[in-house]
């Protein structure tokens, strides 16, 4: 999503400067043009040639070097940048920017830009926690500068604590989060459910399904990247939390019911992708059930229907989207579910369709709408499908509120 973006990567003189080569590589792989500015001290840790080999662009190292073109470097870079990334950012450069000191190419160019500036501190723990450094960072935050918190762990100096440069992949992801997408959903609150639920039989066994949570996490990620305030209610999954989303972890259908219905009225859009168990054991054994001769059975009872409850209590200015996974009679079943549960949108997908279903990175869905419309089949990555659903939901919301 960074294709065509212009990123200026500023590298200052910290021990983690060598990691900036991987940051540059990650940004280039996402399609960005990367210009690198290095301070004099950064060149003690890594050479300009390393960056030039990765980015295929000149590396700026000196305010007074002879320019290769007639334009003034610090002005031209500042004007065409979609974002600045300072990584690693030392206490020195943070202090300079905070107090308007422009005496090298990094500080001068940052002063001249109106693009977002993402600062990634990396330094000794005591230095990072120094009140003066903290005040400088607070000063910059107040002026709109974006900070990515350092990781904690063993530092190069031998101490343990906050101050490590985050992994390059995480920094690239943060850049993508900040500028990769237009913030067209800013101001909206979106609730997403994801993953399976688990219904205990005994302390060892449970009833569940094959949901990986990928569809819901893709929806939460897409909504957050587009500027929405996102809450993700998730069953047990093995996926990292999407950047920018608040994650509420649950296990059972009842826990998900409580987490969702207690919050639902506060949201503009609800996207329910979770594969919630329809049944649970009527009683749960306190001890592991022993294997015995002869047949055995487990008595089941229905769980509470979260989607039906949301549909019953849906407010006038709220959009509710659900999913319907079937193995046959897909459109007919989805249409019934759409009507019976008072949904605005339903995404219907067939478990037997290649590229759809549990555990895949792609999905194949048909969207049905309460107004009778039916979209052509959507076939793409789960994030692409999520984007399409979110766009439809946002448009419906605008119509409901008389904004379209």
């Amino acid at each position: 999503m960074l294709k065509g973006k212009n990123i200026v990567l500023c590298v200052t003189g910290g021990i983690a400067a060598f990691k900036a080569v991987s940051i540059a590589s990650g940004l280039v792989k996402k399609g960005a043009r990367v210009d690198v500015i290095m301070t004099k001290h950064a060149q003690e840790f890594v050479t300009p040639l390393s960056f030039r080999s990765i980015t295929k662009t000149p590396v700026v190292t000196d305010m007074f070097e002879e320019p290769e073109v007639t334009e003034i470097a610090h002005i031209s870079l500042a004007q065409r940048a979609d974002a600045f990334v300072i990584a690693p950012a030392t206490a020195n450069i943070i202090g300079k920017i905070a107090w308007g000191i422009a005496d090298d190419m990094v500080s001068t160019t940052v002063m001249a830009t109106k693009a977002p500036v993402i600062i990634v501190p990396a330094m000794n723990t005591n230095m990072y926690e120094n009140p003066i450094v903290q005040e400088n960072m607070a000063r910059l935050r107040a002026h709109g500068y974006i900070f990515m918190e350092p990781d904690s762990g063993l530092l190069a100096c031998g101490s343990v604590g906050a101050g490590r440069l985050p992994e390059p992949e995480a920094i690239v992801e943060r850049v993508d989060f900040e500028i990769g997408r237009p913030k067209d959903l800013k101001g909206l609150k979106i609730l997403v459910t994801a993953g399976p639920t688990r219904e205990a039989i005994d302390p060892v066994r449970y009833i569940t399904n094959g949901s990986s949570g990928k569809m819901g996490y893709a929806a939460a990620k897409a909504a957050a990247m587009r500027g929405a305030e996102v809450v993700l209610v998730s069953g047990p999954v093995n996926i990292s939390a999407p950047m920018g989303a608040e994650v509420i972890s649950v296990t059972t259908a009842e826990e998900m019911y409580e987490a969702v219905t207690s919050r639902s009225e506060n949201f503009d859009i609800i996207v329910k992708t979770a594969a919630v168990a329809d049944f649970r054991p009527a009683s749960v054994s306190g001890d592991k059930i022993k294997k015995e001769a002869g047949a055995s059975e487990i008595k089941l009872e229905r769980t509470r229907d979260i989607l039906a409850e949301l549909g019953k209590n849906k407010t006038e200015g709220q959009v509710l989207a659900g999913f319907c996974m079937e193995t046959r009679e897909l459109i007919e079943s989805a249409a019934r579910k759409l009507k019976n549960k008072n949904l605005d949108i339903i995404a219907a997908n067939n478990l037997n369709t290649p590229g759809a279903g549990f555990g895949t990175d792609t999905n194949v869905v048909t969207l049905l709408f309460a107004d009778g419309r039916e979209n052509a089949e959507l076939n793409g990555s789960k994030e692409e499908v999520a984007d399409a659903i979110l766009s439809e939901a946002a448009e419906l919301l605008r119509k409901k509120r008389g904004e379209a």
Side-chain angles (χ1 to χ4, degrees), residues 260-329:
V260 171
T261 58
S262 65
R263 293 173 171 83
S264 61
E265 65 180 14
N266 299 319
F267 290 87
D268 303 296
I269 297 171
I270 300 175
V271 181
K272 190 178 175 303
T273 77
V276 182
D278 294 322
F279 297 91
R280 66 186 173 206
S283 62
V284 180
S285 174
D287 297 310
K288 179 183 175 183
I289 301 172
K290 300 295 185 182
K291 180 166 58 176
E292 297 176 356
S296 61
E297 61 182 32
I298 299 172
K299 185 177 180 180
L300 301 177
E301 62 183 14
R302 290 295 302 263
T303 58
R304 290 200 279 183
D305 192 322
I306 301 171
L307 196 53
E309 185 70 13
L310 292 174
K312 184 173 69 175
N313 294 297
K314 184 175 63 175
T315 62
E316 188 175 342
Q318 190 176 64
V319 170
L320 179 58
F323 274 69
C324 177
M325 179 181 283
E326 298 289 346
T327 55
R328 58 188 178 88
E329 298 179 349

Side-chain angles (χ1 to χ4, degrees), residues 272-394:
K272 190 178 175 303
T273 77
V276 182
D278 294 322
F279 297 91
R280 66 186 173 206
S283 62
V284 180
S285 174
D287 297 310
K288 179 183 175 183
I289 301 172
K290 300 295 185 182
K291 180 166 58 176
E292 297 176 356
S296 61
E297 61 182 32
I298 299 172
K299 185 177 180 180
L300 301 177
E301 62 183 14
R302 290 295 302 263
T303 58
R304 290 200 279 183
D305 192 322
I306 301 171
L307 196 53
E309 185 70 13
L310 292 174
K312 184 173 69 175
N313 294 297
K314 184 175 63 175
T315 62
E316 188 175 342
Q318 190 176 64
V319 170
L320 179 58
F323 274 69
C324 177
M325 179 181 283
E326 298 289 346
T327 55
R328 58 188 178 88
E329 298 179 349
L330 176 64
I331 302 302
E332 296 85 350
S333 297
R336 285 194 300 271
K337 188 173 183 179
L338 176 74
K339 180 180 179 181
N340 294 342
K341 300 193 179 183
N342 193 28
L343 310 183
D344 297 287
I345 308 172
I346 193 164
N349 64 328
N350 192 320
L351 186 61
N352 296 324
T353 300
F358 291 141
T360 63
D361 292 323
T362 58
N363 211 345
V364 183
V365 306
T366 300
L367 298 185
L368 280 67
F369 299 84
D371 61 11
R373 289 182 295 130
E374 179 179 321
N375 268 15
E377 186 177 84
L378 297 172
N379 187 343
S381 70
K382 287 186 170 176
E383 195 162 325
E384 290 170 336
V385 171
D387 260 329
I389 294 170
L390 289 168
S391 294
E392 293 284 3

Side-chain angles (χ1 to χ4, degrees), residues 232-249:
L232 172 62
V233 180
S234 175
V237 298
N238 293 310
I239 310 176
S240 299
M243 186 172 290
E246 176 189 354
V247 180
I248 298 170
S249 297

Side-chain angles (χ1 to χ4, degrees), residues 35 85 91 102 119 146 295 339 366 402:
D35 290 291
V85 182
I119 301 175
I146 301 164
K339 180 180 179 181
T366 300

Side-chain angles (χ1 to χ4, degrees), residues 165-181:
L165 189 76
E167 289 304 310
E169 295 81 2
I171 297 171
V172 172
E173 183 183 357
R174 180 60 181 268
V175 177
D176 197 4
F177 176 82
E178 295 294 344
I179 68 162
R181 299 293 306 277

